[in-house]
Each structure stands twice: as C-alpha cells, then as structure tokens.
Amino acid sequence: MDESPPSARKRPRGIYLLPNLFTTAAMFAGFYAIVASIGGRYSEAALAVFIAGVLDGLDGRVARMTGTQSDFGVQYDSLSDLVSFGVAPALVLYTWSLSSLAEYGSLWGKVGWAAAFIYAACAAMRLARFNTQVGVADKRYFQGLASPAAAGLCMSFVWTIEKFDMSGIDVQFISPVIAVVAGLLMVSNVRYFSFKSWPTSDRVPFIWIPAALLIIVALAVDPPRVLFGIAAAYVMSGPIMTLWGLRRWREQRASRGGGNSGE
C-alpha cells in the first residue's frame, strides 16, 4: 500500500487546453485550404491560410499570457505550421496553377510539382531550423523568411489573380517562380524584422493610430490586393535590409582599415 502523502505523489502529465485549441484550429484552417483547393474554391483556400496565420499568432500569445507554455505546445505548433504554411500553400499552388504546366509536356509537368515540393520542403527545413535556434537567435529578427509570411505571399498572389477574374493557367509560368523564390527565402540567411520586440512599451506614437485605421479600411475595401502589397513589401524588405547591413559593415571595415594604414 502506498502511504506517501497525496502532495508527494507524481501527478500525471497532461497538456494545456486553451493554447492547443488555437493551434488545432490553425491546423484545421490549413487542412480546409487543401480541401477547398481540391474542390476548385481557390479564394476560399487562400482565405483559410490567412485565418490559419491569425490563429497561429494567437496561440503563442495566449500561452504566454496564461502561463501555459510547454514543450508539447512548441512541437505541436511546428507541426501545425508545416500543414498550414508548408503543405497547404504548396498544394493550393499546384492544383490552382502548377499542375497546368503538364499541358506543355512531361518535363514542364515535373517543373510544376517540383516547384510545389521545393516550397513544402523549404518550409519544413525553415521550421526545423527555427526550433533549433529558440533561445539563441536574436528575437528582433528572423533568419530567413518566416513560413507564415511565405504562405501569405503565395496565397495573396492566388487571391489577387482570382480577384481579377483570371485563373492559375493565366500565370502558370509565374507561379513556379513565386513558389521557388518564397521557398528559398525561407532557408536563406536573409534577415527579416520579426516584430516580436515591438512595441517596446504600452504607449505608441499617435501617427500609428491613423496608419492602422487606413490599413483596416484598405483591407475592407480590397483585401486580396492590399494583402499582396503588404506581403510583397515585407518579402523585399529582407534583402534590402541585408544588403544595407552588408554595405555598412564593409564601410566600417574599410574605415578601420584606412585608419590602421595611416598610423
């Protein structure tokens, strides 16, 4: 008979319900995007991936606010991200546009599914690398394009083309470029601002209020094109910021070298 007090007994391990519900909802949205694309409802599929992005941003914040962070939650979130921002965008792009390349022969057909696979594989590697850098990397920046941002670029592109009453066949030679570039940026060393350290206090400059209002109104008027513009601007900001940083580093190195040579 176990005579140890109840407080000394080891409690059975469990998981926290609330943050993992958000993670599950995000994965459901990604899964629905796949189902919608198979049914030819590509605008719905793109919107579902964006909903997954919103839910993915909430689960971590809910876990931190409620003190319910766990190793299980971290791993589960990564698997959910792989479905929502890796597999789902790749399959949406393939069913929407990349599969039509097969009309030009077997080689072009292989280019289509290879572009989709490159995107999905790069998303998986991006998530694996991110997990290994938790607690080590600078939280102000991402190394490589984050998978939700890459998915946002691809899905806003799909949604925008659909908004113009066009189809994926009309941009079948642009779609593989979008998929491959987004995938390679995810596994690159290009730095992107993470927004995790912003805002630094509870107060923000007044200008942010009308700016946020304008963004909300623009999203209400034309969500696909506004989202595509925001996604494209963010994707381009990484290479620009990286090149600017390299230029400053070279200038500082040259100035130090010049100072040493003058002594």
Side-chain angles (χ1 to χ4, degrees):
M1 181 177 178
D2 186 4
E3 296 181 356
S4 58
S7 59
R9 295 172 187 168
K10 190 175 182 180
R11 293 184 179 180
R13 285 190 170 185
I15 60 173
Y16 295 109
L17 179 63
L18 186 58
N20 290 304
L21 277 178
F22 280 94
T23 304
T24 303
M27 185 164 55
F28 173 80
F31 180 79
Y32 179 80
I34 297 173
V35 174
S37 68
I38 294 173
R41 303 187 304 276
Y42 302 112
S43 295
E44 288 184 24
L47 179 59
V49 173
F50 279 105
I51 293 174
V54 173
L55 294 169
D56 178 67
L58 289 174
D59 61 0
R61 286 172 173 79
V62 168
R64 287 189 291 271
M65 290 173 59
T66 57
T68 54
Q69 295 169 284
S70 66
D71 292 336
F72 174 87
V74 172
Q75 301 304 322
Y76 186 40
D77 181 69
S78 293
L79 294 173
S80 173
D81 288 352
L82 180 57
V83 173
S84 300
F85 311 126
V87 177
L91 290 178
V92 172
L93 283 174
Y94 182 76
T95 56
W96 175 68
S97 178
L98 297 175
S99 60
S100 65
L101 290 172
E103 298 174 359
Y104 298 93
S106 60
L107 178 61
W108 279 105
K110 292 176 182 178
V111 169
W113 64 254
F117 175 73
I118 288 172
Y119 177 90
C122 288
M125 288 186 283
R126 168 70 177 84
L127 291 165
R129 184 175 68 176
F130 178 79
N131 285 346
T132 61
Q133 294 177 340
V134 172
V136 178
D138 188 347
K139 291 185 178 181
R140 296 175 300 170
Y141 303 99
F142 289 129
Q143 183 182 357
L145 183 64
S147 57
L153 174 69
C154 295
M155 294 300 96
S156 61
F157 174 69
V158 172
W159 201 2
T160 299
I161 297 301
E162 290 287 313
K163 184 75 172 180
F164 279 111
D165 293 326
M166 299 168 65
S167 68
I169 299 176
D170 298 316
V171 292
Q172 59 189 171
F173 292 105
I174 301 176
S175 299
V177 177
I178 295 286
V180 172
V181 168
L184 294 179
L185 282 174
M186 281 191 281
V187 296
S188 70
N189 290 324
V190 175
R191 292 203 311 172
Y192 284 91
F193 193 64
S194 69
F195 299 102
K196 289 185 177 181
S197 59
W198 188 91
T200 56
S201 65
D202 294 334
R203 295 177 178 270
V204 294
F206 177 77
I207 190 64
W208 286 104
I209 298 177
L213 178 62
L214 289 175
I215 292 173
I216 293 172
V217 171
L219 285 172
V221 172
D222 194 348
R225 279 174 271 196
V226 173
L227 287 171
F228 182 67
I230 294 173
Y234 181 71
V235 168
M236 290 187 295
S237 71
I240 293 172
M241 185 169 61
T242 300
L243 291 174
W244 181 69
L246 286 173
R247 181 182 177 183
R248 287 192 60 188
W249 177 78
R250 288 174 180 172
E251 289 177 350
Q252 292 174 358
R253 185 179 179 184
S255 63
R256 286 196 299 268
N260 293 334
S261 62
E263 290 181 357

